Amino acid sequence: MGDHLEKGQHALLNEGDENEMEIFGYQTQRCRKALCLIGSIFSLGILPLVFYWRPAWHVWANCVPCSLQEADVVLLKTTDEFKIYSWKKVMWISLSALSRTSGLTPDHPLITDEEYIINRAIRKPDLKVRYIKVQKIRYVWNNLEGQFQKIGSLEDWLSSAKIHQKFGLGLTSEEQEIRRLICGPNAIDVEVTPIWKLLIKEVLNPFYIFQLFSVCLWFSEDYKEYALAIILMSVISIALTVYDLRQQSVKLHHLVESHNSITVSVCERKAGAQDLESRLLVPGDLLILTGSRVQMPCDAILIDGSCVVDEGMLTGESIPVTKTPLSQMASSAPWKMQTEADPRRHVLFCGTEVIQARAAASGTVRAVVLQTGFNTAKGDLVRSILYPKPMNFKLYRDAIRFLLCLVGTATIGMIYTLCVYVLSGEPPEEVVRKALDVITIAVPPALPAALTTGIIYAQRRLKRKGIFCISPQRINVCGQLNLVCFDKTGTLTRGGLDPWGVVPCDQNGFQAVHSFASGKALPQGPLCAAMASCHSLILLDGTIQGDPMDLKMFEATKWEMTISGDDFHIKGMLAHTMVVKPTDTVGQVPVEGLAILRQFPFSSALQRMTVIVQELRGDRLAFMKVPSSFISELQIYTTQGFRVIALAYKKLENDCPTTALMREKVESDLIFLGLLILENRLKEETKPVLEELISARIRTVMITGDNLQTAITVARKSGMVSEGQKVILVEANEATGSSSASISWKLVEEKKYIPLENQDNYINIREEVPDHGREGSYHFALSGKSFHVLSQHFSSLLPKILMNGTIFARMSPGQKSSLVEEFQKLDYFVGMCGDGANDCGALKMAHVGISLSEQEASVASPFTSKTANIECVPHLIKEGRAALVTSFCMFKYMALYSMIQYVGVLLLYWETNSLSNYQFLFQDLAITTLIGVTMNLNGANPKLVPFRPAGRLISPPLLLSVIINILLSLAMHVVGFVLVRKQPWYLMELHSACTVRNESISAITTSPNVPEKNRSHSPFSSFENTTIWFLGTINCIIVALVFSKGKPFRQPTYTNYIFVLVLILQMGVCLFILFADIPELHRRLDLLCTPVLWRVYILIMISSNFVVSFAVEETIIENRALWLAVKRCFGYQSKSQYRIWQRNLANDSNWPPLNQTSCSDMQGVSYSNPVFESNEEQL
């Protein structure tokens, strides 16, 4: 329908963003709408149901294509691999009310100024705005550019000068009113979904509609017992689902509601400052920040003063961050691009807490509202929870295909039934009823419930281990993980950094190490002053708070922190300035104290932090700290896993105002003071867990923001890089001037450095090419900068490097997400484990995200561990594998159970007979339902094996298993059906053959006249019925035992005591019914009593079926060595991208290159990232 597009009918929404969509314009036609209404009435509501399941069909049926400018309905389609459709009505906002109260006319300057999107959206002369609302975001129609654009944010093109000029004094009341109408309220409204809405949405699931059809059919056949049982199971299932959804809705509502009702101070251009409810804020409003502990109700750009903010909601780590004002620069470049520093240092994000607001010369802390509502950082986080990215897991697609195959099988059975019953002259209503019965037999209604129980059991086992899951369906995905990325600090290593020592430096070079463990006081001087002042700590309620590393560094100086008072006067210093002083225990010091006049916060882009301080009755100084790069001295410490910080300083002119100093000028021509050495130890659990994952052939990758050489050492110590394995440094550099981008490869060699007292390791770059460079495995290590250059200039090399890339250091949050995505494009199933700090994007991007933080940031992660170590990762993989195997077991069992009933019923239909309601009830409820609930109770195998379970239902072993068992069941039923008709007692004019117990069967005489078949009180009773029922019922028990898998992914079946007990009881009851001669029992179950010898024959047929089925399952289906041999014999090779690259690299004698430098114009293997479609190929 969407192939023939009119001009202007199609466009892209959010082009280039993660949530990019195609948008199509449509116009509703009354005649089409009337026809759809008539169709809905005559189809008894089936047509609206189909439209509900297929939104695009609804639009195509009711509307005709048109340009987006004329559309009253838009059809949206995601551009990812899922191609999900939705539709929205185009709505209108009228500004006519404002024109009456504020005197706004089409010629008003506020309307005619088309510099901003808001003004371009107003249609003249009627002053109306067209808009749509998609996933909580408003998009207005830009009349000038002819497209829908997001509203609720300041324009990206605004320069810092423009922001100060346009919004520095606030908006007028008229501008505020216009923006409120068009942008909507500044609120992250997550309404608690009413139970009736959740109930309707759940009930309209196709599965429950099929169950409704089945239940109605069963009631018409008086099969009310099982119908009631299915209704009860469905009600419980729906109730549990609705309860969970309701609880999540309530939790999310409470998470955001506190930010929707805050009173803020807003500066209006004419009226001045006034208190306002935060819901009324609009982009461009000027906020006045006062006091402390203020919750930010929106995203805002700080333009005056500075703030200390707790961004735990965003980063998962409650470390105060200092925000600096956006300076007014003459450049016309967008404000985000005007400096190399991270623009986020100027932004106060919604949901974060302003701990402290420090006024500048103007006397106030001012911020311009940047984004409101769901456009904010917190709004984006909430939207990611409300509208999660669908999973591209082929198991679920295979499940749909599996059900469609059963429907196809049922269709064949329906045709067979119609033919048999029509030729037998049965009444039409009976023919229809029997034909419809076949569908409910071939498609088991209990399948989804049985599958859900396996996931629920796994979720409970995880909960007992302190692992909480908000996306239960991802547990199955955990079973396919073959690569896990880890953050370093706080994940592999302990979160805190302890000062180990300092290495002072003077004109003669590095001096002796001062160890803090010695207990000696740190020598006073510029180095000590730098440690005491160059940080982002704050004093709040008498307690020093801030980054743990800064806190440890400051405590090592034994100085104290105070707020400036009357006894500390410096010209130009603001009131309540932070002051650091030596304590009495320090002894004689060269300075009485330092006032911190200005901070340049740590920037991930610049990798440094600087402060300007004023000595009491002394000089004005600048102190800077930066991750060190003094290779010769640094490697002694980084190789042992230490964190090394370099400190430097310079003198400044006392007369120059600090606000006028540019960062670039302050941070140039400094004098090096020395190195601060901080210790970062591995967690005790790290090495055993990594060894377990590596032994299970699960790749482990480190992604950290720390120093590259420190990361290499931690990788070696943790076992991520084992002894004897080589590490190759990959360094890529951007193009400079006439030279193109380059990449070099250097082998890192582990050597011994032996000082006087102890033996340390350090890293050395080998210059010579080793003779055996290709022997053993190797790992690539690279920085975030090199990763960026590789992505931009060496796309052909990127996948080859990723195949052995293990250590990625100095990675920004965005680069972490990009790296995870690149691994996914190589068809890896990627897990990401982080402590929440800067890992949110990667946690969301990965197939399985595991957060070790319980901060609000963890709500975006599917899994959260209460224990802050990586032991949760193997637990999760084990449970995932067990859950995946359990799902396959249930699919196989339910397929066999339905096919066993299907074959039996079709054989009985040949005689225009069937199973009675109680016979069906015994099989459905007493056998299958109990097995479905208990088969899933097997726990996970405590050992991780070096291979994964099959990831697809259509894998050859699974298909072969199902087909062989169906054929065995079919053969057994046909043999039983044919043989029973050939027995000498089959034609006896008796209700049963039990009256001839002690006589020889061969002596039985039969009536010369053929009687009616086994005349009985029940229309179902017959020898065929009795034989088929016993064979089918006991076969259901046997198949459950055969399909219940234990090792290597689950615990052995005998450990599932409840399941084993259920099977024993079921088998005992069936054998009792088979061999007990109780007429009343036979009458209730519509069975006929047969000779004991025939019952033995039935047992022999069942036993033979069990022996063959079990032997096939153990010797063929579960024989991994056999299947690997078959693959080799037929030359099968995995189509997964990473497997293809492994084969290519194994045959490349020139890989890896060593001690080489290549330029970006080099010819390499061409590579274009594949679509994320094939990311789940089999091993």
Side-chain angles (χ1 to χ4, degrees):
M1 293 286 294
D3 292 338
H4 306 291
L5 301 177
E6 290 187 10
K7 187 178 179 181
Q9 191 216 344
H10 169 257
L12 282 177
L13 206 64
N14 304 319
E15 187 172 359
D17 290 351
E18 185 182 353
N19 55 344
E20 182 183 83
M21 295 181 182
E22 289 183 88
I23 181 170
F24 304 88
Y26 285 88
Q27 209 165 44
T28 308
Q29 274 198 341
R30 290 184 180 179
C31 59
R32 282 175 173 246
K33 202 168 183 178
L35 286 172
C36 289
L37 183 61
I38 294 167
S40 301
I41 295 168
F42 281 101
S43 66
L44 301 177
I46 293 175
L47 188 61
L49 199 59
V50 172
F51 286 163
Y52 174 77
W53 293 333
R54 290 284 183 267
W57 296 5
H58 175 274
V59 175
W60 295 335
N62 285 273
C63 310
V64 292
C66 69
S67 68
L68 286 167
Q69 190 167 3
E70 300 168 341
D72 60 0
V73 170
V74 293
L75 182 64
L76 300 161
K77 183 175 75 170
T78 60
T79 55
D80 55 19
E81 66 271 28
F82 303 102
K83 310 296 181 190
I84 298 172
Y85 281 97
S86 60
W87 64 274
K88 299 290 177 183
K89 280 188 176 181
V90 177
M91 295 176 283
W92 290 87
I93 300 170
S94 175
L95 304 183
S96 57
L98 284 180
S99 65
R100 289 193 296 269
T101 57
S102 305
L104 283 177
T105 63
D107 299 325
H108 195 284
L110 287 179
I111 304 295
T112 55
D113 179 15
E114 293 189 341
E115 190 176 14
Y116 301 96
I117 294 174
I118 285 181
N119 301 92
R120 295 178 183 182
I122 301 172
R123 194 174 76 175
K124 305 163 186 73
D126 52 358
L127 300 183
K128 286 187 176 181
V129 177
R130 296 173 72 235
Y131 78 98
I132 56 173
K133 196 172 183 180
V134 182
Q135 294 185 351
K136 305 287 187 180
I137 300 288
R138 280 192 184 187
Y139 299 84
V140 295
W141 179 255
N142 187 326
N143 293 293
L144 200 64
E145 297 183 16
Q147 62 178 344
F148 281 103
Q149 289 185 318
K150 188 187 293 186
I151 201 73
S153 307
L154 288 186
E155 286 79 357
D156 290 333
W157 58 263
L158 288 170
S159 65
S160 60
K162 192 76 174 176
I163 290 172
H164 278 269
Q165 175 194 338
K166 171 72 178 176
F167 308 108
L169 296 176
L171 299 172
T172 63
S173 58
E174 292 86 357
E175 285 177 307
Q176 288 176 331
E177 290 297 331
I178 292 172
R179 287 175 179 248
R180 276 175 201 145
L181 272 175
I182 296 175
C183 298
N186 170 44
I188 304 174
D189 284 322
V190 180
E191 64 277 0
V192 178
T193 313
I195 291 176
W196 66 268
K197 272 191 180 180
L198 293 171
L199 199 59
I200 289 173
K201 188 176 180 180
E202 190 65 22
V203 168
L204 291 181
N205 184 297
F207 164 68
Y208 289 118
I209 298 298
F210 173 71
Q211 278 198 338
L212 179 64
F213 160 76
S214 301
V215 165
C216 292
L217 182 63
W218 293 333
F219 272 120
S220 71
E221 295 179 340
D222 202 31
Y223 186 34
K224 54 183 180 295
E225 292 86 356
Y226 189 56
L228 290 171
I230 288 293
I231 289 172
L232 181 63
M233 287 170 61
S234 299
V235 167
I236 292 172
S237 176
I238 291 171
L240 287 173
T241 305
V242 168
Y243 175 77
D244 283 344
L245 291 173
R246 173 79 175 187
Q247 288 296 101
Q248 287 181 25
S249 181
V250 169
K251 184 180 177 182
L252 199 55
H253 175 76
H254 290 325
L255 184 70
V256 300
E257 67 172 343
S258 60
H259 304 302
N260 294 334
S261 54
I262 300 171
T263 302
V264 292
S265 181
V266 177
C267 181
E268 199 255 304
R269 188 176 286 265
K270 297 175 183 176
Q274 54 186 351
D275 289 341
L276 204 66
E277 191 181 344
S278 61
R279 295 180 69 92
L280 301 176
L281 288 174
V282 293
D285 265 334
L286 186 65
L287 289 177
I288 307 296
L289 300 174
T290 55
S292 59
R293 296 293 181 188
V294 177
Q295 292 282 346
M296 283 301 297
C298 60
D299 288 355
I301 306 172
L302 195 62
I303 63 168
D304 201 7
S306 62
C307 292
V308 179
V309 184
D310 179 0
E311 293 189 341
M313 187 281 298
L314 292 177
T315 64
E317 195 169 344
S318 295
I319 295 174
V321 179
T322 302
K323 299 291 184 175
T324 57
L326 178 70
S327 57
Q328 187 170 353
M329 300 178 70
S331 171
S332 60
W335 68 274
K336 291 182 182 178
M337 310 288 291
Q338 68 179 17
T339 63
E340 292 182 4
D342 190 348
R344 291 180 299 176
R345 65 182 180 153
H346 308 303
V347 181
L348 306 171
F349 292 104
C350 176
T352 61
E353 185 179 43
V354 178
I355 300 173
Q356 203 172 64
R358 299 170 182 165
S362 64
T364 58
V365 180
R366 299 179 300 150
V368 175
V369 175
L370 176 64
Q371 296 176 136
T372 57
F374 281 94
N375 293 288
T376 62
K378 180 152 190 172
D380 188 53
L381 182 64
V382 173
R383 284 175 64 242
S384 71
I385 300 167
L386 291 172
Y387 308 102
K389 184 180 178 182
M391 280 188 302
N392 186 15
F393 193 42
K394 290 187 177 177
L395 170 65
Y396 303 121
R397 284 187 286 174
D398 288 348
I400 300 298
R401 291 170 186 165
F402 169 79
L403 290 174
L404 290 176
C405 287
L406 292 181
V407 170
T409 307
T411 305
I412 297 169
M414 284 178 67
I415 296 170
Y416 164 84
T417 305
L418 289 170
C419 294
V420 169
Y421 273 81
V422 167
L423 291 174
S424 301
E426 295 289 331
E429 62 273 13
E430 182 68 14
V431 175
V432 172
R433 193 181 296 121
K434 292 297 182 186
L436 293 176
D437 256 346
V438 175
I439 298 178
T440 63
I441 291 168
V443 184
L447 175 61
L451 290 173
T452 304
T453 55
I455 297 294
I456 290 172
Y457 294 151
Q459 195 173 359
R460 286 180 179 175
R461 288 193 293 268
L462 287 172
K463 193 173 182 179
R464 285 198 293 269
K465 291 172 182 173
I467 303 169
F468 297 90
C469 174
I470 62 169
S471 180
Q473 295 304 318
R474 287 189 186 260
I475 295 175
N476 273 338
V477 184
C478 295
Q480 286 291 289
L481 290 183
N482 54 0
L483 186 149
V484 183
C485 301
F486 294 95
D487 178 40
K488 184 181 77 69
T489 308
T491 303
L492 298 176
T493 60
R494 293 177 183 175
L497 288 166
D498 297 314
W500 181 83
V502 292
V503 185
C505 181
D506 58 19
Q507 295 176 350
N508 300 319
F510 287 104
Q511 304 302 305
V513 177
H514 173 84
S515 174
F516 291 111
S518 65
K520 295 179 183 178
L522 181 68
Q524 300 300 308
L527 179 61
C528 182
M531 291 172 58
S533 61
C534 194
H535 51 69
S536 58
L537 300 175
I538 63 166
L539 194 64
L540 191 66
D541 300 328
T543 306
I544 302 173
Q545 295 186 6
D547 186 286
M549 188 190 81
D550 284 348
L551 193 58
K552 293 281 186 181
M553 179 180 72
F554 179 74
E555 288 173 350
T557 64
K558 295 185 170 58
W559 284 36
E560 64 181 1
M561 184 180 291
T562 60
I563 302 295
S564 62
D566 297 333
D567 60 334
F568 201 102
H569 293 288
I570 294 174
K571 183 181 178 182
M573 188 183 79
L574 300 173
H576 308 296
T577 297
M578 197 71 64
V579 176
V580 290
K581 297 180 179 179
T583 58
D584 297 334
T585 58
V586 173
Q588 189 174 2
V589 291
V591 293
E592 296 180 31
L594 300 171
I596 302 173
L597 304 181
R598 188 178 178 188
Q599 288 182 346
F600 296 101
F602 179 80
S603 165
S604 57
L606 300 173
Q607 290 289 308
R608 58 180 177 263
M609 176 190 178
T610 304
V611 293
I612 298 174
V613 301
Q614 177 71 54
E615 294 179 347
L616 182 59
R617 290 185 286 274
D619 297 325
R620 182 167 293 181
L621 306 170
F623 289 111
M624 184 178 76
K625 66 178 180 182
V626 59
S628 183
S629 57
F630 288 86
I631 301 299
S632 59
E633 186 73 21
L634 178 65
Q635 286 175 345
I636 301 172
Y637 303 104
T638 56
T639 189
Q640 300 172 70
F642 289 122
R643 180 81 173 269
V644 182
I645 303 294
L647 298 165
Y649 88 113
K650 71 185 287 189
K651 290 185 179 181
L652 301 173
E653 295 177 7
N654 282 353
D655 297 333
C656 184
T658 58
T659 53
L661 292 170
M662 300 298 291
R663 182 166 189 164
E664 292 78 8
K665 185 178 179 181
V666 174
E667 293 177 342
S668 62
D669 302 322
L670 286 93
I671 300 169
F672 179 61
L673 291 172
L675 302 174
L676 171 64
I677 315 295
L678 299 122
E679 194 173 16
N680 189 202
R681 297 176 184 173
L682 279 179
K683 291 181 179 178
E684 293 176 0
E685 303 83 5
T686 296
K687 191 168 183 177
V689 168
L690 292 181
E691 287 175 349
E692 183 179 12
L693 293 176
I694 292 167
S695 66
R697 293 186 180 176
I698 296 171
R699 272 191 68 184
T700 55
V701 173
M702 184 194 301
I703 313 177
T704 177
D706 206 345
N707 178 283
L708 179 57
Q709 292 180 317
T710 302
I712 292 172
T713 305
V714 171
R716 288 195 188 278
K717 283 189 172 183
S718 64
M720 197 175 279
V721 175
S722 59
E723 288 185 28
Q725 292 184 324
K726 300 175 177 64
V727 175
I728 299 172
L729 283 178
V730 180
E731 294 181 353
N733 296 303
E734 284 276 13
T736 54
S738 58
S739 63
S740 57
S742 62
I743 180 170
S744 61
W745 321 76
K746 298 176 184 176
L747 182 66
V748 175
E749 185 191 9
E750 191 176 16
K751 284 190 176 181
K752 303 295 179 182
Y753 175 82
I754 307 174
L756 295 175
E757 298 179 357
N758 62 338
Q759 178 175 307
D760 292 328
N761 295 333
Y762 77 100
I763 293 174
N764 181 57
I765 302 296
R766 288 185 58 160
E767 296 299 333
E768 71 278 5
V769 178
D771 295 332
H772 306 286
R774 290 186 56 78
E775 287 186 6
S777 60
Y778 56 91
H779 300 265
F780 289 125
L782 58 153
S783 66
K785 175 193 162 197
S786 296
F787 175 73
H788 174 73
V789 175
L790 280 168
S791 303
Q792 295 292 319
H793 302 286
F794 297 92
S795 59
S796 62
L797 286 176
L798 184 59
K800 298 173 78 173
I801 291 170
L802 292 183
M803 289 306 304
N804 288 83
T806 301
I807 302 156
F808 297 85
R810 295 284 183 227
M811 298 287 281
S812 68
Q815 287 174 334
K816 289 184 180 183
S817 301
S818 298
L819 179 61
V820 168
E821 190 175 13
E822 291 297 332
F823 277 127
Q824 289 174 333
K825 289 172 182 176
L826 288 173
D827 294 345
Y828 280 109
F829 273 79
V830 183
M832 175 70 199
C833 181
D835 61 353
N838 298 323
D839 298 321
C840 291
L843 290 171
K844 286 195 290 182
M845 180 62 69
H847 290 108
V848 176
I850 312 157
S851 173
L852 304 184
S853 166
E854 292 189 61
Q855 293 281 344
E856 287 183 17
S858 67
V859 296
S861 177
F863 299 94
T864 304
S865 173
K866 260 194 169 181
T867 54
N869 61 60
I870 63 171
E871 278 185 331
C872 58
V873 175
H875 287 320
L876 203 51
I877 295 173
K878 291 170 191 173
E879 287 297 345
R881 290 180 173 185
L884 193 56
V885 171
T886 299
S887 296
F888 290 140
C889 290
M890 286 312 307
F891 269 114
K892 288 169 64 176
Y893 178 72
M894 286 295 173
L896 259 295
Y897 146 69
S898 61
M899 287 299 104
I900 288 168
Q901 270 196 354
Y902 177 80
V903 168
V905 168
L906 291 189
L907 284 171
L908 292 175
Y909 277 3
W910 185 257
E911 297 292 327
T912 62
N913 195 357
S914 184
L915 297 177
S916 69
N917 285 351
Y918 280 108
Q919 288 174 334
F920 272 125
L921 187 66
F922 190 89
Q923 285 186 352
D924 292 338
L925 204 57
I927 304 295
T928 306
T929 303
L930 286 177
I931 287 173
V933 170
T934 57
M935 183 191 272
N936 301 326
L937 287 170
N938 284 48
N941 187 2
K943 179 177 172 57
L944 266 180
V945 292
F947 53 91
R948 299 175 294 164
R952 303 192 62 177
L953 272 173
I954 58 174
S955 63
L958 288 170
L959 284 177
L960 187 63
S961 175
V962 171
I963 291 169
I964 288 176
N965 279 280
I966 288 175
L967 292 175
L968 286 173
S969 298
L970 175 64
M972 182 179 69
H973 279 78
V974 170
V975 168
F977 185 79
V978 172
L979 284 182
V980 74
R981 293 162 64 88
K982 293 185 177 180
Q983 298 306 309
W985 38 262
Y986 174 74
L987 296 175
M988 290 179 62
E989 195 171 359
L990 298 168
H991 293 319
S992 73
C994 291
T995 54
V996 290
R997 287 184 194 127
N998 301 319
E999 301 178 31
S1000 169
I1001 291 178
S1002 60
I1004 294 177
T1005 57
T1006 58
S1007 173
N1009 299 318
V1010 179
E1012 294 181 17
K1013 290 179 187 174
N1014 312 311
R1015 196 178 301 136
S1016 173
H1017 296 295
S1018 169
F1020 299 104
S1021 297
S1022 70
F1023 289 124
E1024 295 98 325
N1025 172 289
T1026 301
T1027 302
I1028 291 296
W1029 186 80
F1030 275 119
L1031 289 174
T1033 305
I1034 299 176
N1035 197 24
C1036 285
I1037 302 171
I1038 286 171
V1039 166
L1041 182 60
V1042 171
F1043 284 169
S1044 180
K1045 301 288 184 244
K1047 289 184 177 181
F1049 303 112
R1050 301 202 305 170
Q1051 290 180 357
T1053 303
Y1054 60 79
T1055 61
N1056 187 352
Y1057 306 116
I1058 298 175
F1059 175 64
V1060 172
L1061 181 62
V1062 165
L1063 290 186
I1064 291 171
L1065 288 174
Q1066 288 175 337
M1067 185 61 77
V1069 170
C1070 288
L1071 292 177
F1072 175 78
I1073 296 171
L1074 178 63
F1075 286 102
D1077 294 333
I1078 304 174
E1080 181 61 21
L1081 180 62
H1082 286 177
R1083 187 185 66 79
R1084 288 274 184 182
L1085 288 172
D1086 298 299
L1087 299 172
L1088 291 181
C1089 193
T1090 58
V1092 174
L1093 187 58
W1094 179 247
R1095 304 178 212 178
V1096 173
Y1097 285 164
I1098 289 175
L1099 209 55
I1100 290 170
M1101 284 188 279
I1102 290 168
S1103 301
S1104 302
N1105 183 65
F1106 169 70
V1107 170
V1108 175
S1109 177
F1110 187 79
V1112 168
E1113 200 73 18
E1114 292 300 315
T1115 59
I1116 299 176
I1117 307 301
E1118 293 299 312
N1119 190 337
R1120 178 174 165 79
L1122 175 65
W1123 286 105
L1124 290 175
V1126 169
K1127 283 183 178 181
R1128 286 193 297 269
C1129 180
F1130 286 94
Y1132 171 81
Q1133 291 185 324
S1134 172
K1135 296 177 184 176
S1136 297
Q1137 286 291 319
Y1138 73 92
R1139 288 294 189 191
I1140 294 170
W1141 281 106
Q1142 280 178 348
R1143 293 194 292 270
N1144 291 340
L1145 294 179
N1147 298 323
D1148 188 350
S1149 59
N1150 297 320
W1151 188 264
L1154 290 173
N1155 297 330
Q1156 296 179 19
T1157 300
S1158 309
C1159 295
S1160 58
D1161 57 355
M1162 64 173 287
Q1163 296 297 317
V1165 179
S1166 111
Y1167 172 70
S1168 58
N1169 286 334
V1171 180
F1172 182 34
E1173 161 109 24
S1174 59
N1175 64 337
E1176 283 133 81
E1177 284 293 339
Q1178 210 26 50
L1179 268 172

